[in-house]
Amino acid sequence: MTNHMTRLLAGVSLLLAPALVGAAPHPAQKRASAARPANNADARFRTLSEAEYKWRIDQNAADEDSGSAGSKQLPDEGPQAQAARLARWEATAKALDGIDPATLSPDARIDYMVYKGQIDALLAAQRFRDYEKPLTADTSFWGNLASWSRGSFTRESQYRDYLAMMRAMPRYYDQQIANMRAGLARGFTPPAITLKGRDIGVAQVVDGGAGDDQPFYAPFRTMPATMPAAIAAALRAEAKAAIRDDVLPAHRKLLAFLRNDYIPHAQVSTAAYDLPDGKAYYRSKIREYVTADMTPEQVHAIGLSEMKRIRARMDGVMKEVKFKGDFAAFLTFLRTDPQFYAKTPQELLDRAAWFAKSFDGIASDWFGRLPRSRFAIKPVPEDLAPFYTAGRGGTGIYLVNTYDLPSRSLYALPALTLHESAPGHAFQMPLAAENKDLPAFRRDSYLSAYGEGWALYCEALGEDMGFYKTPYDRFGMLSYQAWRAARLVVDTGIHALGWTRAQAQAYLHDNTALSDHEIETEVDRYIAWPGQALSYSMGQLAFQRARAKAEKALGPKFNIRAWHDAMLQLGYVPLPVIEARTDRFIAQGGKGPYPDEEGS
């Protein structure tokens, strides 16, 4: 998932009345607001939410890998725009408080819960001035724009939008630099250790010059054959002028700022608690990414409990393969034996494609409704790969990191593929976007606890589906499960409980089969992005509890395809709605949301 979309559109707090959760409707029916005139409270809520959401989308640029709607122009990140966002979300929060959820229709109550959580998270981020820290360990505002250069343009209008984006870079970069200077002045930056080498992507743009080798010129190298030659020539000329006059100056200025000011003077501490008003800031991130008001200590304890449970299963696999040695020796074997690693980047991509296609063959056994959208499998771009995760997925894309092949184990690739491609992100996200019965803020606004929880649930689902063909594949899945449970321990440890970076790395090294390179990049990701790592296991646990509840209540009437459809029909919702929807599923006798489909 992209940091751009997550930061701006995610986050649901559960500081709402329990009655909201208990009122979950049966989604097999058309939404009440579409079937009959809304009541007065519904109408007030719809008017408020639709106007604000349209305004919110207009505030943001659309980057190529987010899959989100947005303005084709770069957003205004200046002080007046930031003040306007704060005022708008404060006014929206006040207006929401003036609507009694009990007076809303059942559909609108769920929408209210989702929407209010988004406003709570957006308002908190604005009050803490998150915009003064517009980067994490592997994402950045300049990286989001660079993703446009890797897009596939087919129409003149797309090229025009791209040209407008490049021409706006000087203004946009100046605003971002000013915000980062303000953050630097008050000690609100990513930790310095996570910024090492982050100037590489900017330097590549500068070094590319204004010629055909410039990364931002990539879309113009090969243009559609259907485009008239005169128009193509004019667009190419405009692109070279924009690169010379706007792109290169903006990147030179940013590069000097990063190298001379920002990176050398970034905060030394790795703890969110050491940021300005750090304890409150980190608690706000827990609320945003866990969709519950929990303390770091509570989350930490859940992580330790999950690690104990998963470790017992990992020990069982080690005995199954009759390994002679202790757990540490087994991990060393997995990290170093050549049989577990691809020899070329293409081999790794080919294996990922094989696993993705293998799921296609069994998808209809586990899901009644499949997305219309397809996805591509591509390597992580070279400028990002050294800092990037093993893979990342979303609408239309499954990125596989082919950098440092000895750190990319094949036994973990099946689990990674289920998480990032289908039935994980590249499956769930299109289903949400294609569900036109939901308001846009539930289709498009990524909620990490739901989205990452679902993707991690899909990794474990692979065991039910018979997807893991060897004990080592199963251990890879368990190692990934332990990795996400360890995030609950490590993230809270670093940001609230005094853990060092080395201590966090050691914990992952001793309890998962992740390579040392992956461990380093992962820990730096948690350090630079407080709270986000908590969403995975907490979301997965919600899905697992709900499914177990339905299986127990329905017995032989439980239909896994119908339950999966019911979960994916929700769009993006806070975790209690998963249980509430499951309760409704049970009350309906296990009937799924698409009764016209066979098997549901």
Side-chain angles (χ1 to χ4, degrees), residues 9 31 45-46 48-50 52-53 56-57 108 110-116 118 438-447 571-573:
L9 299 179
R31 295 174 62 81
F45 172 68
R46 299 291 177 219
L48 174 69
S49 60
E50 289 174 5
E52 183 279 331
Y53 190 71
R56 189 196 317 175
I57 290 299
I110 297 300
D111 292 343
Y112 179 99
M113 182 179 188
V114 176
Y115 181 74
K116 187 178 187 304
Q118 290 182 13
L438 298 176
F441 64 80
R442 278 180 65 178
R443 296 195 309 264
D444 305 329
S445 298
Y446 189 76
L447 179 59
Y572 295 101
V573 296

PDB file of all heavy atoms in Angstrom, residues 9 31 45-46 48-50 52-53 56-57 108 110-116 118 438-447 571-573:
ATOM      1  N   LEU A   9      -6.061   9.084   3.842  1.00  0.00           N
ATOM      2  CA  LEU A   9      -7.425   8.574   3.778  1.00  0.00           C
ATOM      3  C   LEU A   9      -7.720   7.449   4.758  1.00  0.00           C
ATOM      4  O   LEU A   9      -8.815   6.925   4.761  1.00  0.00           O
ATOM      5  CB  LEU A   9      -7.724   8.077   2.351  1.00  0.00           C
ATOM      6  CG  LEU A   9      -7.635   9.152   1.256  1.00  0.00           C
ATOM      7  CD1 LEU A   9      -7.923   8.523  -0.099  1.00  0.00           C
ATOM      8  CD2 LEU A   9      -8.603  10.274   1.516  1.00  0.00           C
ATOM      9  N   ARG A  31     -28.859  -0.755  -0.599  1.00  0.00           N
ATOM     10  CA  ARG A  31     -28.797   0.165   0.528  1.00  0.00           C
ATOM     11  C   ARG A  31     -30.093   0.940   0.638  1.00  0.00           C
ATOM     12  O   ARG A  31     -30.701   1.353  -0.362  1.00  0.00           O
ATOM     13  CB  ARG A  31     -27.626   1.129   0.349  1.00  0.00           C
ATOM     14  CG  ARG A  31     -26.281   0.413   0.393  1.00  0.00           C
ATOM     15  CD  ARG A  31     -25.159   1.373   0.076  1.00  0.00           C
ATOM     16  NE  ARG A  31     -25.093   2.447   1.048  1.00  0.00           N
ATOM     17  CZ  ARG A  31     -24.509   2.346   2.235  1.00  0.00           C
ATOM     18  NH1 ARG A  31     -23.952   1.222   2.600  1.00  0.00           N
ATOM     19  NH2 ARG A  31     -24.488   3.379   3.046  1.00  0.00           N
ATOM     20  N   PHE A  45     -26.565  13.830   7.082  1.00  0.00           N
ATOM     21  CA  PHE A  45     -25.286  13.127   7.076  1.00  0.00           C
ATOM     22  C   PHE A  45     -24.747  12.980   5.657  1.00  0.00           C
ATOM     23  O   PHE A  45     -23.562  13.204   5.405  1.00  0.00           O
ATOM     24  CB  PHE A  45     -25.419  11.757   7.739  1.00  0.00           C
ATOM     25  CG  PHE A  45     -24.194  10.912   7.591  1.00  0.00           C
ATOM     26  CD1 PHE A  45     -23.015  11.265   8.236  1.00  0.00           C
ATOM     27  CD2 PHE A  45     -24.200   9.776   6.784  1.00  0.00           C
ATOM     28  CE1 PHE A  45     -21.866  10.503   8.085  1.00  0.00           C
ATOM     29  CE2 PHE A  45     -23.055   9.012   6.628  1.00  0.00           C
ATOM     30  CZ  PHE A  45     -21.888   9.368   7.280  1.00  0.00           C
ATOM     31  N   ARG A  46     -25.599  12.602   4.710  1.00  0.00           N
ATOM     32  CA  ARG A  46     -25.145  12.433   3.329  1.00  0.00           C
ATOM     33  C   ARG A  46     -24.623  13.758   2.761  1.00  0.00           C
ATOM     34  O   ARG A  46     -23.585  13.794   2.106  1.00  0.00           O
ATOM     35  CB  ARG A  46     -26.284  11.925   2.440  1.00  0.00           C
ATOM     36  CG  ARG A  46     -26.866  10.596   2.823  1.00  0.00           C
ATOM     37  CD  ARG A  46     -25.904   9.461   2.574  1.00  0.00           C
ATOM     38  NE  ARG A  46     -26.500   8.201   3.022  1.00  0.00           N
ATOM     39  CZ  ARG A  46     -25.852   7.239   3.635  1.00  0.00           C
ATOM     40  NH1 ARG A  46     -24.557   7.377   3.881  1.00  0.00           N
ATOM     41  NH2 ARG A  46     -26.457   6.138   4.008  1.00  0.00           N
ATOM     42  N   LEU A  48     -23.381  16.300   4.379  1.00  0.00           N
ATOM     43  CA  LEU A  48     -22.128  16.637   5.040  1.00  0.00           C
ATOM     44  C   LEU A  48     -20.975  15.785   4.513  1.00  0.00           C
ATOM     45  O   LEU A  48     -19.931  16.306   4.109  1.00  0.00           O
ATOM     46  CB  LEU A  48     -22.280  16.434   6.548  1.00  0.00           C
ATOM     47  CG  LEU A  48     -21.011  16.613   7.399  1.00  0.00           C
ATOM     48  CD1 LEU A  48     -20.590  18.068   7.415  1.00  0.00           C
ATOM     49  CD2 LEU A  48     -21.261  16.101   8.823  1.00  0.00           C
ATOM     50  N   SER A  49     -21.143  14.471   4.512  1.00  0.00           N
ATOM     51  CA  SER A  49     -20.053  13.573   4.156  1.00  0.00           C
ATOM     52  C   SER A  49     -19.694  13.664   2.682  1.00  0.00           C
ATOM     53  O   SER A  49     -18.502  13.643   2.324  1.00  0.00           O
ATOM     54  CB  SER A  49     -20.415  12.127   4.518  1.00  0.00           C
ATOM     55  OG  SER A  49     -21.578  11.698   3.837  1.00  0.00           O
ATOM     56  N   GLU A  50     -20.695  13.759   1.811  1.00  0.00           N
ATOM     57  CA  GLU A  50     -20.394  13.816   0.380  1.00  0.00           C
ATOM     58  C   GLU A  50     -19.665  15.102   0.013  1.00  0.00           C
ATOM     59  O   GLU A  50     -18.728  15.076  -0.791  1.00  0.00           O
ATOM     60  CB  GLU A  50     -21.689  13.680  -0.424  1.00  0.00           C
ATOM     61  CG  GLU A  50     -22.276  12.267  -0.376  1.00  0.00           C
ATOM     62  CD  GLU A  50     -23.633  12.173  -1.050  1.00  0.00           C
ATOM     63  OE1 GLU A  50     -24.079  13.186  -1.643  1.00  0.00           O
ATOM     64  OE2 GLU A  50     -24.256  11.096  -0.975  1.00  0.00           O
ATOM     65  N   GLU A  52     -17.761  17.015   2.027  1.00  0.00           N
ATOM     66  CA  GLU A  52     -16.402  16.994   2.577  1.00  0.00           C
ATOM     67  C   GLU A  52     -15.522  16.016   1.802  1.00  0.00           C
ATOM     68  O   GLU A  52     -14.356  16.320   1.524  1.00  0.00           O
ATOM     69  CB  GLU A  52     -16.433  16.601   4.058  1.00  0.00           C
ATOM     70  CG  GLU A  52     -15.068  16.613   4.743  1.00  0.00           C
ATOM     71  CD  GLU A  52     -14.226  15.369   4.490  1.00  0.00           C
ATOM     72  OE1 GLU A  52     -14.830  14.265   4.272  1.00  0.00           O
ATOM     73  OE2 GLU A  52     -12.988  15.472   4.493  1.00  0.00           O
ATOM     74  N   TYR A  53     -16.062  14.844   1.446  1.00  0.00           N
ATOM     75  CA  TYR A  53     -15.226  13.851   0.767  1.00  0.00           C
ATOM     76  C   TYR A  53     -14.804  14.351  -0.614  1.00  0.00           C
ATOM     77  O   TYR A  53     -13.668  14.163  -1.024  1.00  0.00           O
ATOM     78  CB  TYR A  53     -15.941  12.511   0.650  1.00  0.00           C
ATOM     79  CG  TYR A  53     -15.017  11.415   0.171  1.00  0.00           C
ATOM     80  CD1 TYR A  53     -14.031  10.918   1.009  1.00  0.00           C
ATOM     81  CD2 TYR A  53     -15.107  10.902  -1.115  1.00  0.00           C
ATOM     82  CE1 TYR A  53     -13.152   9.933   0.584  1.00  0.00           C
ATOM     83  CE2 TYR A  53     -14.239   9.917  -1.553  1.00  0.00           C
ATOM     84  CZ  TYR A  53     -13.267   9.434  -0.694  1.00  0.00           C
ATOM     85  OH  TYR A  53     -12.393   8.458  -1.119  1.00  0.00           O
ATOM     86  N   ARG A  56     -12.128  16.755   0.041  1.00  0.00           N
ATOM     87  CA  ARG A  56     -10.913  16.063   0.485  1.00  0.00           C
ATOM     88  C   ARG A  56     -10.150  15.486  -0.698  1.00  0.00           C
ATOM     89  O   ARG A  56      -8.925  15.607  -0.782  1.00  0.00           O
ATOM     90  CB  ARG A  56     -11.281  14.937   1.460  1.00  0.00           C
ATOM     91  CG  ARG A  56     -10.096  14.292   2.154  1.00  0.00           C
ATOM     92  CD  ARG A  56     -10.420  12.964   2.796  1.00  0.00           C
ATOM     93  NE  ARG A  56     -11.674  12.904   3.517  1.00  0.00           N
ATOM     94  CZ  ARG A  56     -12.157  11.795   4.056  1.00  0.00           C
ATOM     95  NH1 ARG A  56     -11.486  10.647   3.932  1.00  0.00           N
ATOM     96  NH2 ARG A  56     -13.304  11.797   4.707  1.00  0.00           N
ATOM     97  N   ILE A  57     -10.869  14.843  -1.612  1.00  0.00           N
ATOM     98  CA  ILE A  57     -10.225  14.265  -2.783  1.00  0.00           C
ATOM     99  C   ILE A  57      -9.574  15.351  -3.627  1.00  0.00           C
ATOM    100  O   ILE A  57      -8.474  15.184  -4.158  1.00  0.00           O
ATOM    101  CB  ILE A  57     -11.243  13.462  -3.613  1.00  0.00           C
ATOM    102  CG1 ILE A  57     -11.645  12.182  -2.865  1.00  0.00           C
ATOM    103  CG2 ILE A  57     -10.680  13.101  -4.979  1.00  0.00           C
ATOM    104  CD1 ILE A  57     -10.503  11.235  -2.599  1.00  0.00           C
ATOM    105  N   ALA A 108     -26.914   3.949   7.204  1.00  0.00           N
ATOM    106  CA  ALA A 108     -26.245   5.212   7.474  1.00  0.00           C
ATOM    107  C   ALA A 108     -25.479   5.175   8.793  1.00  0.00           C
ATOM    108  O   ALA A 108     -24.484   5.886   8.955  1.00  0.00           O
ATOM    109  CB  ALA A 108     -27.247   6.357   7.480  1.00  0.00           C
ATOM    110  N   ILE A 110     -23.706   2.660   9.952  1.00  0.00           N
ATOM    111  CA  ILE A 110     -22.390   2.095   9.658  1.00  0.00           C
ATOM    112  C   ILE A 110     -21.551   3.109   8.902  1.00  0.00           C
ATOM    113  O   ILE A 110     -20.369   3.315   9.200  1.00  0.00           O
ATOM    114  CB  ILE A 110     -22.535   0.793   8.856  1.00  0.00           C
ATOM    115  CG1 ILE A 110     -23.269  -0.251   9.693  1.00  0.00           C
ATOM    116  CG2 ILE A 110     -21.158   0.266   8.451  1.00  0.00           C
ATOM    117  CD1 ILE A 110     -22.585  -0.606  10.988  1.00  0.00           C
ATOM    118  N   ASP A 111     -22.158   3.772   7.931  1.00  0.00           N
ATOM    119  CA  ASP A 111     -21.425   4.808   7.199  1.00  0.00           C
ATOM    120  C   ASP A 111     -20.928   5.896   8.150  1.00  0.00           C
ATOM    121  O   ASP A 111     -19.799   6.393   8.024  1.00  0.00           O
ATOM    122  CB  ASP A 111     -22.321   5.443   6.129  1.00  0.00           C
ATOM    123  CG  ASP A 111     -22.648   4.486   5.002  1.00  0.00           C
ATOM    124  OD1 ASP A 111     -21.948   3.458   4.864  1.00  0.00           O
ATOM    125  OD2 ASP A 111     -23.612   4.764   4.263  1.00  0.00           O
ATOM    126  N   TYR A 112     -21.771   6.276   9.098  1.00  0.00           N
ATOM    127  CA  TYR A 112     -21.404   7.305  10.071  1.00  0.00           C
ATOM    128  C   TYR A 112     -20.183   6.861  10.869  1.00  0.00           C
ATOM    129  O   TYR A 112     -19.243   7.638  11.087  1.00  0.00           O
ATOM    130  CB  TYR A 112     -22.589   7.559  11.004  1.00  0.00           C
ATOM    131  CG  TYR A 112     -22.349   8.598  12.081  1.00  0.00           C
ATOM    132  CD1 TYR A 112     -22.797   9.904  11.919  1.00  0.00           C
ATOM    133  CD2 TYR A 112     -21.706   8.273  13.272  1.00  0.00           C
ATOM    134  CE1 TYR A 112     -22.597  10.863  12.908  1.00  0.00           C
ATOM    135  CE2 TYR A 112     -21.487   9.221  14.267  1.00  0.00           C
ATOM    136  CZ  TYR A 112     -21.942  10.511  14.082  1.00  0.00           C
ATOM    137  OH  TYR A 112     -21.742  11.447  15.056  1.00  0.00           O
ATOM    138  N   MET A 113     -20.189   5.609  11.298  1.00  0.00           N
ATOM    139  CA  MET A 113     -19.075   5.106  12.100  1.00  0.00           C
ATOM    140  C   MET A 113     -17.769   5.152  11.303  1.00  0.00           C
ATOM    141  O   MET A 113     -16.731   5.613  11.802  1.00  0.00           O
ATOM    142  CB  MET A 113     -19.366   3.673  12.528  1.00  0.00           C
ATOM    143  CG  MET A 113     -18.289   3.073  13.413  1.00  0.00           C
ATOM    144  SD  MET A 113     -18.713   1.389  13.886  1.00  0.00           S
ATOM    145  CE  MET A 113     -17.418   1.073  15.076  1.00  0.00           C
ATOM    146  N   VAL A 114     -17.823   4.674  10.071  1.00  0.00           N
ATOM    147  CA  VAL A 114     -16.630   4.678   9.226  1.00  0.00           C
ATOM    148  C   VAL A 114     -16.164   6.114   8.977  1.00  0.00           C
ATOM    149  O   VAL A 114     -14.980   6.445   9.128  1.00  0.00           O
ATOM    150  CB  VAL A 114     -16.913   3.969   7.893  1.00  0.00           C
ATOM    151  CG1 VAL A 114     -15.700   4.055   6.972  1.00  0.00           C
ATOM    152  CG2 VAL A 114     -17.294   2.506   8.135  1.00  0.00           C
ATOM    153  N   TYR A 115     -17.105   6.959   8.612  1.00  0.00           N
ATOM    154  CA  TYR A 115     -16.765   8.330   8.235  1.00  0.00           C
ATOM    155  C   TYR A 115     -16.239   9.132   9.422  1.00  0.00           C
ATOM    156  O   TYR A 115     -15.240   9.846   9.307  1.00  0.00           O
ATOM    157  CB  TYR A 115     -18.000   9.010   7.638  1.00  0.00           C
ATOM    158  CG  TYR A 115     -17.750  10.426   7.191  1.00  0.00           C
ATOM    159  CD1 TYR A 115     -17.030  10.698   6.034  1.00  0.00           C
ATOM    160  CD2 TYR A 115     -18.219  11.499   7.944  1.00  0.00           C
ATOM    161  CE1 TYR A 115     -16.788  12.000   5.634  1.00  0.00           C
ATOM    162  CE2 TYR A 115     -17.991  12.805   7.552  1.00  0.00           C
ATOM    163  CZ  TYR A 115     -17.275  13.052   6.394  1.00  0.00           C
ATOM    164  OH  TYR A 115     -17.034  14.343   6.014  1.00  0.00           O
ATOM    165  N   LYS A 116     -16.884   9.004  10.582  1.00  0.00           N
ATOM    166  CA  LYS A 116     -16.423   9.745  11.744  1.00  0.00           C
ATOM    167  C   LYS A 116     -15.002   9.331  12.129  1.00  0.00           C
ATOM    168  O   LYS A 116     -14.184  10.177  12.524  1.00  0.00           O
ATOM    169  CB  LYS A 116     -17.355   9.541  12.932  1.00  0.00           C
ATOM    170  CG  LYS A 116     -16.986  10.444  14.126  1.00  0.00           C
ATOM    171  CD  LYS A 116     -17.930  10.278  15.286  1.00  0.00           C
ATOM    172  CE  LYS A 116     -17.642  11.323  16.381  1.00  0.00           C
ATOM    173  NZ  LYS A 116     -16.243  11.295  16.853  1.00  0.00           N
ATOM    174  N   GLN A 118     -12.704   8.336  10.059  1.00  0.00           N
ATOM    175  CA  GLN A 118     -11.799   8.981   9.111  1.00  0.00           C
ATOM    176  C   GLN A 118     -11.539  10.436   9.516  1.00  0.00           C
ATOM    177  O   GLN A 118     -10.395  10.900   9.510  1.00  0.00           O
ATOM    178  CB  GLN A 118     -12.388   8.926   7.701  1.00  0.00           C
ATOM    179  CG  GLN A 118     -12.423   7.550   7.085  1.00  0.00           C
ATOM    180  CD  GLN A 118     -12.976   7.569   5.673  1.00  0.00           C
ATOM    181  OE1 GLN A 118     -13.122   8.627   5.065  1.00  0.00           O
ATOM    182  NE2 GLN A 118     -13.285   6.399   5.140  1.00  0.00           N
ATOM    183  N   LEU A 438     -21.842   1.152  -2.147  1.00  0.00           N
ATOM    184  CA  LEU A 438     -21.248   1.819  -0.988  1.00  0.00           C
ATOM    185  C   LEU A 438     -20.881   3.254  -1.337  1.00  0.00           C
ATOM    186  O   LEU A 438     -20.558   3.558  -2.492  1.00  0.00           O
ATOM    187  CB  LEU A 438     -19.984   1.072  -0.546  1.00  0.00           C
ATOM    188  CG  LEU A 438     -20.153  -0.369  -0.076  1.00  0.00           C
ATOM    189  CD1 LEU A 438     -18.787  -0.980   0.236  1.00  0.00           C
ATOM    190  CD2 LEU A 438     -21.055  -0.445   1.141  1.00  0.00           C
ATOM    191  N   PRO A 439     -20.899   4.157  -0.358  1.00  0.00           N
ATOM    192  CA  PRO A 439     -20.427   5.523  -0.619  1.00  0.00           C
ATOM    193  C   PRO A 439     -18.934   5.508  -0.933  1.00  0.00           C
ATOM    194  O   PRO A 439     -18.202   4.595  -0.526  1.00  0.00           O
ATOM    195  CB  PRO A 439     -20.718   6.252   0.695  1.00  0.00           C
ATOM    196  CG  PRO A 439     -20.780   5.188   1.733  1.00  0.00           C
ATOM    197  CD  PRO A 439     -21.325   3.969   1.048  1.00  0.00           C
ATOM    198  N   ALA A 440     -18.479   6.521  -1.638  1.00  0.00           N
ATOM    199  CA  ALA A 440     -17.090   6.553  -2.106  1.00  0.00           C
ATOM    200  C   ALA A 440     -16.090   6.461  -0.964  1.00  0.00           C
ATOM    201  O   ALA A 440     -15.028   5.843  -1.114  1.00  0.00           O
ATOM    202  CB  ALA A 440     -16.850   7.822  -2.916  1.00  0.00           C
ATOM    203  N   PHE A 441     -16.406   7.047   0.188  1.00  0.00           N
ATOM    204  CA  PHE A 441     -15.424   7.033   1.268  1.00  0.00           C
ATOM    205  C   PHE A 441     -15.260   5.644   1.865  1.00  0.00           C
ATOM    206  O   PHE A 441     -14.291   5.406   2.594  1.00  0.00           O
ATOM    207  CB  PHE A 441     -15.756   8.067   2.357  1.00  0.00           C
ATOM    208  CG  PHE A 441     -17.044   7.840   3.094  1.00  0.00           C
ATOM    209  CD1 PHE A 441     -17.133   6.914   4.118  1.00  0.00           C
ATOM    210  CD2 PHE A 441     -18.170   8.583   2.785  1.00  0.00           C
ATOM    211  CE1 PHE A 441     -18.313   6.719   4.814  1.00  0.00           C
ATOM    212  CE2 PHE A 441     -19.358   8.405   3.474  1.00  0.00           C
ATOM    213  CZ  PHE A 441     -19.431   7.462   4.486  1.00  0.00           C
ATOM    214  N   ARG A 442     -16.170   4.705   1.575  1.00  0.00           N
ATOM    215  CA  ARG A 442     -15.974   3.317   1.998  1.00  0.00           C
ATOM    216  C   ARG A 442     -15.350   2.473   0.896  1.00  0.00           C
ATOM    217  O   ARG A 442     -14.781   1.421   1.177  1.00  0.00           O
ATOM    218  CB  ARG A 442     -17.306   2.691   2.429  1.00  0.00           C
ATOM    219  CG  ARG A 442     -17.697   3.042   3.844  1.00  0.00           C
ATOM    220  CD  ARG A 442     -19.023   2.420   4.241  1.00  0.00           C
ATOM    221  NE  ARG A 442     -19.009   0.968   4.284  1.00  0.00           N
ATOM    222  CZ  ARG A 442     -20.062   0.232   4.647  1.00  0.00           C
ATOM    223  NH1 ARG A 442     -21.212   0.822   4.969  1.00  0.00           N
ATOM    224  NH2 ARG A 442     -19.989  -1.071   4.663  1.00  0.00           N
ATOM    225  N   ARG A 443     -15.437   2.901  -0.335  1.00  0.00           N
ATOM    226  CA  ARG A 443     -14.833   2.159  -1.445  1.00  0.00           C
ATOM    227  C   ARG A 443     -13.359   2.485  -1.611  1.00  0.00           C
ATOM    228  O   ARG A 443     -12.551   1.615  -1.921  1.00  0.00           O
ATOM    229  CB  ARG A 443     -15.554   2.481  -2.769  1.00  0.00           C
ATOM    230  CG  ARG A 443     -16.988   2.055  -2.841  1.00  0.00           C
ATOM    231  CD  ARG A 443     -17.479   2.089  -4.283  1.00  0.00           C
ATOM    232  NE  ARG A 443     -17.215   3.355  -4.962  1.00  0.00           N
ATOM    233  CZ  ARG A 443     -18.088   4.338  -5.070  1.00  0.00           C
ATOM    234  NH1 ARG A 443     -19.282   4.226  -4.502  1.00  0.00           N
ATOM    235  NH2 ARG A 443     -17.784   5.450  -5.715  1.00  0.00           N
ATOM    236  N   ASP A 444     -13.019   3.751  -1.442  1.00  0.00           N
ATOM    237  CA  ASP A 444     -11.708   4.240  -1.865  1.00  0.00           C
ATOM    238  C   ASP A 444     -10.756   4.588  -0.722  1.00  0.00           C
ATOM    239  O   ASP A 444      -9.556   4.696  -0.948  1.00  0.00           O
ATOM    240  CB  ASP A 444     -11.882   5.498  -2.735  1.00  0.00           C
ATOM    241  CG  ASP A 444     -12.793   5.260  -3.921  1.00  0.00           C
ATOM    242  OD1 ASP A 444     -12.832   4.125  -4.424  1.00  0.00           O
ATOM    243  OD2 ASP A 444     -13.492   6.206  -4.348  1.00  0.00           O
ATOM    244  N   SER A 445     -11.260   4.796   0.458  1.00  0.00           N
ATOM    245  CA  SER A 445     -10.421   5.264   1.574  1.00  0.00           C
ATOM    246  C   SER A 445      -9.831   4.073   2.307  1.00  0.00           C
ATOM    247  O   SER A 445     -10.488   3.455   3.134  1.00  0.00           O
ATOM    248  CB  SER A 445     -11.252   6.121   2.536  1.00  0.00           C
ATOM    249  OG  SER A 445     -11.741   7.255   1.870  1.00  0.00           O
ATOM    250  N   TYR A 446      -8.599   3.769   2.004  1.00  0.00           N
ATOM    251  CA  TYR A 446      -7.964   2.574   2.555  1.00  0.00           C
ATOM    252  C   TYR A 446      -7.883   2.640   4.076  1.00  0.00           C
ATOM    253  O   TYR A 446      -7.427   3.634   4.642  1.00  0.00           O
ATOM    254  CB  TYR A 446      -6.561   2.405   1.987  1.00  0.00           C
ATOM    255  CG  TYR A 446      -5.931   1.087   2.347  1.00  0.00           C
ATOM    256  CD1 TYR A 446      -6.308  -0.077   1.705  1.00  0.00           C
ATOM    257  CD2 TYR A 446      -4.975   1.010   3.355  1.00  0.00           C
ATOM    258  CE1 TYR A 446      -5.740  -1.291   2.034  1.00  0.00           C
ATOM    259  CE2 TYR A 446      -4.396  -0.196   3.692  1.00  0.00           C
ATOM    260  CZ  TYR A 446      -4.781  -1.349   3.035  1.00  0.00           C
ATOM    261  OH  TYR A 446      -4.221  -2.549   3.374  1.00  0.00           O
ATOM    262  N   LEU A 447      -8.337   1.582   4.719  1.00  0.00           N
ATOM    263  CA  LEU A 447      -8.286   1.459   6.176  1.00  0.00           C
ATOM    264  C   LEU A 447      -7.356   0.306   6.508  1.00  0.00           C
ATOM    265  O   LEU A 447      -7.652  -0.852   6.235  1.00  0.00           O
ATOM    266  CB  LEU A 447      -9.690   1.219   6.730  1.00  0.00           C
ATOM    267  CG  LEU A 447      -9.823   1.044   8.245  1.00  0.00           C
ATOM    268  CD1 LEU A 447      -9.290   2.276   8.969  1.00  0.00           C
ATOM    269  CD2 LEU A 447     -11.270   0.803   8.627  1.00  0.00           C
ATOM    270  N   GLY A 571     -16.495  -3.197   1.971  1.00  0.00           N
ATOM    271  CA  GLY A 571     -15.621  -2.060   1.725  1.00  0.00           C
ATOM    272  C   GLY A 571     -14.647  -1.938   2.888  1.00  0.00           C
ATOM    273  O   GLY A 571     -14.259  -2.927   3.497  1.00  0.00           O
ATOM    274  N   TYR A 572     -14.243  -0.716   3.223  1.00  0.00           N
ATOM    275  CA  TYR A 572     -13.295  -0.508   4.318  1.00  0.00           C
ATOM    276  C   TYR A 572     -14.049  -0.095   5.579  1.00  0.00           C
ATOM    277  O   TYR A 572     -14.719   0.936   5.608  1.00  0.00           O
ATOM    278  CB  TYR A 572     -12.272   0.560   3.944  1.00  0.00           C
ATOM    279  CG  TYR A 572     -11.401   0.133   2.788  1.00  0.00           C
ATOM    280  CD1 TYR A 572     -11.638   0.604   1.502  1.00  0.00           C
ATOM    281  CD2 TYR A 572     -10.368  -0.775   2.978  1.00  0.00           C
ATOM    282  CE1 TYR A 572     -10.849   0.192   0.432  1.00  0.00           C
ATOM    283  CE2 TYR A 572      -9.578  -1.194   1.921  1.00  0.00           C
ATOM    284  CZ  TYR A 572      -9.820  -0.703   0.656  1.00  0.00           C
ATOM    285  OH  TYR A 572      -9.040  -1.126  -0.397  1.00  0.00           O
ATOM    286  N   VAL A 573     -13.947  -0.921   6.614  1.00  0.00           N
ATOM    287  CA  VAL A 573     -14.698  -0.686   7.849  1.00  0.00           C
ATOM    288  C   VAL A 573     -13.800  -0.917   9.049  1.00  0.00           C
ATOM    289  O   VAL A 573     -12.818  -1.657   8.972  1.00  0.00           O
ATOM    290  CB  VAL A 573     -15.931  -1.619   7.942  1.00  0.00           C
ATOM    291  CG1 VAL A 573     -16.924  -1.337   6.830  1.00  0.00           C
ATOM    292  CG2 VAL A 573     -15.509  -3.092   7.923  1.00  0.00           C
TER     293      VAL A 573
END
